[in-house]
DNA sequence: ATAGTATATGCCTTTTTTTGCATATACCCA
DNA sequence: TGGGTATATGCAAAAAAAGGCATATACTAT
């Protein structure tokens, strides 16, 4: 393996070396998801999730699609999931008890067909309930 | 995938995110190799190679065996090679033209059955010829 | 246009890796 | 034991990544 090839391989592994990014990929296993869904499932703030998504996107591991206000991300190369499975084989995997927190995610994919405005207000309310960003200019610590 | 599991997976990927470490693993594909062999093939200094080997060893990806003066390293989990192949599939692999530099490595595995002392002197001579460490206290730059 | 929402990005500080160097350790042989 | 060799490790400076925060962008509905 020559040096240039090794560098390109390393770039992929660099994108995978972060626990949150691995969790994101795992959440994208079966289907594409919007950012707000990932935000809710991971319990991380929006900007943070977007940053990790950007790393994965720049590495070419995920691709995105815009639909109205929402961005949907999906696995660009199914081989990535193969790698996750292979690593689990190495570390002697527990069968991944799936931390599906059953958080009621307000995205249209999770809570489909609502009245547009009703959806929005319910959305904001749900976000406040979860302690997430409330869109005020400055949130007191 | 819960947080603790993601951390353990990330540890493996961290060990793999370095080009030299990937090259080392590739060199160990077919058989175990001694450090001096890796040193020659990679064109890196001994301490540097040992450091990278230590990272891979602590991650549990390789194991070592001592035989006299030489330490031989080998892949601990063949799944690691599967991962390398999978990554190559993702980045659209050239078929790895194998930078086998044909450096005449002086280790007993590459240059077997010599008279012990003759081997040693030839060894040192070969190393000097290759511009590697000469065991003088301070090598002039 | 205006207001509101989902997502993205830039900047800065803290933490982690990298990497070079010196030196330590382990082993062999005379 | 003593000298020489193969490999390992500790340390510190340099480079890179992580993470927090403010704000920018893109879109939607009124």
């Amino acid at each position: 393996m020559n040096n240039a090839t090794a560098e390109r391989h390393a770039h992929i592994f660099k994108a995978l070396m972060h626990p949150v990014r691995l969790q994101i990929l795992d959440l994208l296993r079966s289907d594409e998801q919007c950012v707000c869904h990932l935000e809710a499932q991971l319990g991380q703030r929006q900007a943070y999730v977007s940053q990790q998504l950007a790393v994965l996107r720049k590495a070419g591991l995920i691709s995105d699609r815009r639909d109205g206000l929402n961005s949907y991300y999906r696995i660009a190369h199914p081989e990535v999931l193969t790698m996750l499975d292979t690593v689990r084989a190495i570390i002697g995997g527990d069968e991944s008890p799936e931390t599906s927190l059953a958080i009621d995610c307000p995205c249209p994919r999770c809570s489909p067909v609502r009245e547009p405005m009703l959806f929005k207000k319910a959305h904001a309310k749900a976000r406040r309930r979860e302690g997430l960003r409330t869109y005020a200019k400055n949130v007191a610590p």
Side-chain angles (χ1 to χ4, degrees), chain A residues 31-89:
Chain A
D31 201 2
E32 67 177 9
Q33 301 292 347
C34 70
V35 178
C36 70
H37 185 89
L38 301 173
E39 195 182 338
Q41 292 295 320
L42 297 170
Q44 302 281 357
R45 288 169 312 148
Q46 178 272 321
Y48 184 73
V49 173
S50 271
Q51 278 175 339
Q52 304 304 342
L53 286 169
V55 174
L56 290 169
R57 176 160 32 82
K58 284 169 188 164
L61 300 183
I62 58 179
S63 55
D64 59 333
R65 169 179 78 83
R66 186 118 200 173
D67 181 19
L69 281 177
N70 298 100
S71 285
Y72 291 90
Y73 282 87
R74 64 175 174 283
I75 301 284
H77 295 280
E79 293 92 344
V80 171
L81 298 177
T82 306
M83 299 228 300
L84 294 191
D85 296 337
T86 306
V87 173
R88 187 165 52 196

Side-chain angles (χ1 to χ4, degrees), chain A residues 8-51:
Chain A
R8 285 193 297 159
H9 285 231
H11 278 308
I12 303 289
F13 286 117
K14 272 184 195 173
L16 295 171
M17 84 174 168
H18 194 288
V20 169
R21 293 199 287 269
L22 294 178
Q23 288 182 293
I24 288 175
L25 292 174
D26 199 60
L27 287 169
L28 300 181
R29 244 179 211 284
S30 51
D31 201 2
E32 67 177 9
Q33 301 292 347
C34 70
V35 178
C36 70
H37 185 89
L38 301 173
E39 195 182 338
Q41 292 295 320
L42 297 170
Q44 302 281 357
R45 288 169 312 148
Q46 178 272 321
Y48 184 73
V49 173
S50 271
Q51 278 175 339

Side-chain angles (χ1 to χ4, degrees), chain A residues 114-129:
Chain A
R114 301 201 211 183
E115 290 294 324
M117 247 355 248
L118 282 179
F119 158 65
K120 283 192 171 183
K121 295 194 173 174
H123 191 165
K125 187 175 176 185
R127 292 177 63 82
R128 272 191 295 275
R129 177 160 22 88

